[in-house]
Amino acid sequence: MAPFLCLLFLLFSSATACDRCVHQSKAAYFSKASALSSGACGYGYLALGLSGGYLAAAVPSLYKDGAGCGACFQIRCKDSKLCSSKGTRVTLTDLNHNNQTDFVLSSRAFMAMANQGMGQDILKLGIVDVEYKRIPCEYKSQNLAVRVEESSQKANYLAIKLLYQGGQTEVVAIDVAQVGSSNWSFMSRNHGAVWDTSRVPNGALQFRFVVTAGFDGKWIWAKSVLPADWKTGVVYDSGVQITDIAKEGCSPCDDSHWR
């Protein structure tokens, strides 16, 4: 593995050890999903399309300075009389500053943890004991998408937002170049799911993403994403899907099943 990928992987693994183990905590809820869609990841109204309004804000250790944006989790409350064993699946869209709970869920997601007909009962509690684990995100009919942010200005500044990031991975680096060129410019994470650069190549643009995959990192190359006449506010199909699952040295929980 190249030294660059080695460094990225070491940084990643030190911050996310045992990411998919089952963890014990508490969860609360927001009464309006809009509070989560306008959150730190920067998805805005597009957050509601990621998982049907099943959204979550998570503590800094899961938010990971924005690298955790778009991650998927299965969460279930521990009161077997009130809640189902299936729980709910959520997408991380915001940062939770409350150190009393690992998650603050949308009310739809919070109610989905309850047994049938008991959604209002769990809402009355406001906060419940939960267990959770990270799971792969699935967008079977949807490629990774790139939205050009309104702050972008051709030739001077480009800001993009990543949508529909599948698998159980994190994007840890992005490069951009003109289609057909090998003169790559690196992008930086501005905040959440938004990346930017002031070194904007001319013409149509290609991207390459470094994602965590297996026990390593890998390049994913989207060979033609933005047309030469790209527009702000438009979502472009990358033509690639991310389905990888990052591996971690989490024994003994690596191979355990949630019963």
mmCIF file of all heavy atoms in Angstrom, residues 151-158 200-203 227-232:
data_model
loop_
_atom_site.group_PDB
_atom_site.id
_atom_site.type_symbol
_atom_site.label_atom_id
_atom_site.label_comp_id
_atom_site.label_asym_id
_atom_site.label_seq_id
_atom_site.Cartn_x
_atom_site.Cartn_y
_atom_site.Cartn_z
ATOM 1 N N SER A 151 -22.037 28.231 -3.415
ATOM 2 C CA SER A 151 -20.886 29.107 -3.180
ATOM 3 C C SER A 151 -19.806 28.934 -4.254
ATOM 4 O O SER A 151 -18.852 29.720 -4.311
ATOM 5 C CB SER A 151 -20.278 28.825 -1.803
ATOM 6 O OG SER A 151 -19.919 27.452 -1.686
ATOM 7 N N SER A 152 -19.938 27.929 -5.121
ATOM 8 C CA SER A 152 -18.930 27.658 -6.142
ATOM 9 C C SER A 152 -18.897 28.766 -7.191
ATOM 10 O O SER A 152 -19.935 29.338 -7.560
ATOM 11 C CB SER A 152 -19.220 26.319 -6.836
ATOM 12 O OG SER A 152 -19.181 25.255 -5.912
ATOM 13 N N GLN A 153 -17.698 29.053 -7.684
ATOM 14 C CA GLN A 153 -17.488 30.036 -8.743
ATOM 15 C C GLN A 153 -16.474 29.462 -9.720
ATOM 16 O O GLN A 153 -15.341 29.161 -9.337
ATOM 17 C CB GLN A 153 -16.970 31.366 -8.177
ATOM 18 C CG GLN A 153 -17.938 32.050 -7.226
ATOM 19 C CD GLN A 153 -17.366 33.348 -6.681
ATOM 20 O OE1 GLN A 153 -16.177 33.615 -6.805
ATOM 21 N NE2 GLN A 153 -18.223 34.157 -6.083
ATOM 22 N N LYS A 154 -16.872 29.323 -10.963
ATOM 23 C CA LYS A 154 -16.003 28.699 -11.956
ATOM 24 C C LYS A 154 -14.650 29.377 -12.014
ATOM 25 O O LYS A 154 -14.551 30.598 -11.975
ATOM 26 C CB LYS A 154 -16.664 28.739 -13.329
ATOM 27 C CG LYS A 154 -17.587 27.574 -13.555
ATOM 28 C CD LYS A 154 -18.030 27.476 -14.994
ATOM 29 C CE LYS A 154 -18.946 26.274 -15.139
ATOM 30 N NZ LYS A 154 -19.581 26.226 -16.455
ATOM 31 N N ALA A 155 -13.635 28.530 -12.111
ATOM 32 C CA ALA A 155 -12.222 28.923 -12.217
ATOM 33 C C ALA A 155 -11.629 29.405 -10.900
ATOM 34 O O ALA A 155 -10.417 29.467 -10.758
ATOM 35 C CB ALA A 155 -12.021 29.998 -13.288
ATOM 36 N N ASN A 156 -12.468 29.711 -9.918
ATOM 37 C CA ASN A 156 -11.960 30.251 -8.660
ATOM 38 C C ASN A 156 -12.209 29.359 -7.451
ATOM 39 O O ASN A 156 -11.366 29.273 -6.552
ATOM 40 C CB ASN A 156 -12.574 31.631 -8.394
ATOM 41 C CG ASN A 156 -12.190 32.645 -9.442
ATOM 42 O OD1 ASN A 156 -11.033 32.737 -9.829
ATOM 43 N ND2 ASN A 156 -13.176 33.413 -9.914
ATOM 44 N N TYR A 157 -13.360 28.718 -7.427
ATOM 45 C CA TYR A 157 -13.722 27.981 -6.212
ATOM 46 C C TYR A 157 -14.763 26.926 -6.562
ATOM 47 O O TYR A 157 -15.719 27.189 -7.298
ATOM 48 C CB TYR A 157 -14.278 28.935 -5.159
ATOM 49 C CG TYR A 157 -14.704 28.273 -3.867
ATOM 50 C CD1 TYR A 157 -13.772 27.763 -2.975
ATOM 51 C CD2 TYR A 157 -16.048 28.153 -3.541
ATOM 52 C CE1 TYR A 157 -14.155 27.159 -1.789
ATOM 53 C CE2 TYR A 157 -16.451 27.559 -2.349
ATOM 54 C CZ TYR A 157 -15.491 27.062 -1.486
ATOM 55 O OH TYR A 157 -15.882 26.465 -0.318
ATOM 56 N N LEU A 158 -14.571 25.707 -6.035
ATOM 57 C CA LEU A 158 -15.518 24.622 -6.232
ATOM 58 C C LEU A 158 -15.803 23.964 -4.901
ATOM 59 O O LEU A 158 -14.878 23.540 -4.198
ATOM 60 C CB LEU A 158 -14.961 23.587 -7.214
ATOM 61 C CG LEU A 158 -15.803 22.309 -7.403
ATOM 62 C CD1 LEU A 158 -17.148 22.646 -8.052
ATOM 63 C CD2 LEU A 158 -15.047 21.282 -8.252
ATOM 64 N N VAL A 200 -9.434 25.089 -9.246
ATOM 65 C CA VAL A 200 -10.485 24.458 -10.043
ATOM 66 C C VAL A 200 -9.985 24.239 -11.467
ATOM 67 O O VAL A 200 -9.694 25.211 -12.182
ATOM 68 C CB VAL A 200 -11.756 25.322 -10.067
ATOM 69 C CG1 VAL A 200 -12.879 24.578 -10.779
ATOM 70 C CG2 VAL A 200 -12.173 25.712 -8.654
ATOM 71 N N PRO A 201 -9.876 23.005 -11.919
ATOM 72 C CA PRO A 201 -9.455 22.749 -13.298
ATOM 73 C C PRO A 201 -10.504 23.252 -14.290
ATOM 74 O O PRO A 201 -11.692 23.386 -13.964
ATOM 75 C CB PRO A 201 -9.334 21.223 -13.358
ATOM 76 C CG PRO A 201 -9.244 20.782 -11.923
ATOM 77 C CD PRO A 201 -10.052 21.771 -11.149
ATOM 78 N N ASN A 202 -10.071 23.510 -15.509
ATOM 79 C CA ASN A 202 -10.988 23.904 -16.574
ATOM 80 C C ASN A 202 -11.678 22.682 -17.157
ATOM 81 O O ASN A 202 -11.213 21.553 -17.010
ATOM 82 C CB ASN A 202 -10.230 24.645 -17.687
ATOM 83 C CG ASN A 202 -9.664 25.968 -17.213
ATOM 84 O OD1 ASN A 202 -10.319 26.698 -16.465
ATOM 85 N ND2 ASN A 202 -8.449 26.287 -17.645
ATOM 86 N N GLY A 203 -12.777 22.917 -17.841
ATOM 87 C CA GLY A 203 -13.451 21.857 -18.580
ATOM 88 C C GLY A 203 -14.243 20.894 -17.720
ATOM 89 O O GLY A 203 -14.551 21.160 -16.549
ATOM 90 N N PRO A 227 -19.913 18.164 -16.073
ATOM 91 C CA PRO A 227 -19.689 18.632 -17.447
ATOM 92 C C PRO A 227 -18.946 19.968 -17.430
ATOM 93 O O PRO A 227 -18.838 20.618 -16.389
ATOM 94 C CB PRO A 227 -21.113 18.803 -17.983
ATOM 95 C CG PRO A 227 -21.932 19.109 -16.761
ATOM 96 C CD PRO A 227 -21.311 18.302 -15.647
ATOM 97 N N ALA A 228 -18.432 20.372 -18.588
ATOM 98 C CA ALA A 228 -17.685 21.626 -18.674
ATOM 99 C C ALA A 228 -18.552 22.819 -18.269
ATOM 100 O O ALA A 228 -18.054 23.812 -17.730
ATOM 101 C CB ALA A 228 -17.137 21.813 -20.079
ATOM 102 N N ASP A 229 -19.846 22.715 -18.505
ATOM 103 C CA ASP A 229 -20.754 23.823 -18.160
ATOM 104 C C ASP A 229 -21.504 23.542 -16.861
ATOM 105 O O ASP A 229 -22.692 23.840 -16.737
ATOM 106 C CB ASP A 229 -21.748 24.081 -19.294
ATOM 107 C CG ASP A 229 -22.635 22.872 -19.574
ATOM 108 O OD1 ASP A 229 -22.285 21.753 -19.114
ATOM 109 O OD2 ASP A 229 -23.679 23.032 -20.233
ATOM 110 N N TRP A 230 -20.804 22.962 -15.863
ATOM 111 C CA TRP A 230 -21.475 22.618 -14.605
ATOM 112 C C TRP A 230 -22.129 23.833 -13.973
ATOM 113 O O TRP A 230 -21.680 24.959 -14.113
ATOM 114 C CB TRP A 230 -20.523 21.932 -13.639
ATOM 115 C CG TRP A 230 -19.236 22.642 -13.315
ATOM 116 C CD1 TRP A 230 -18.006 22.424 -13.877
ATOM 117 C CD2 TRP A 230 -19.036 23.677 -12.330
ATOM 118 N NE1 TRP A 230 -17.057 23.243 -13.317
ATOM 119 C CE2 TRP A 230 -17.657 24.027 -12.364
ATOM 120 C CE3 TRP A 230 -19.860 24.336 -11.433
ATOM 121 C CZ2 TRP A 230 -17.103 24.998 -11.534
ATOM 122 C CZ3 TRP A 230 -19.325 25.310 -10.596
ATOM 123 C CH2 TRP A 230 -17.961 25.631 -10.657
ATOM 124 N N LYS A 231 -23.218 23.544 -13.262
ATOM 125 C CA LYS A 231 -24.028 24.608 -12.662
ATOM 126 C C LYS A 231 -24.122 24.373 -11.149
ATOM 127 O O LYS A 231 -24.125 23.241 -10.679
ATOM 128 C CB LYS A 231 -25.441 24.623 -13.244
ATOM 129 C CG LYS A 231 -25.479 24.695 -14.773
ATOM 130 C CD LYS A 231 -25.740 26.084 -15.242
ATOM 131 C CE LYS A 231 -25.993 26.182 -16.738
ATOM 132 N NZ LYS A 231 -25.217 25.331 -17.617
ATOM 133 N N THR A 232 -24.228 25.468 -10.414
ATOM 134 C CA THR A 232 -24.415 25.360 -8.966
ATOM 135 C C THR A 232 -25.836 24.899 -8.659
ATOM 136 O O THR A 232 -26.773 25.160 -9.416
ATOM 137 C CB THR A 232 -24.149 26.704 -8.271
ATOM 138 O OG1 THR A 232 -25.095 27.673 -8.751
ATOM 139 C CG2 THR A 232 -22.745 27.207 -8.549
#
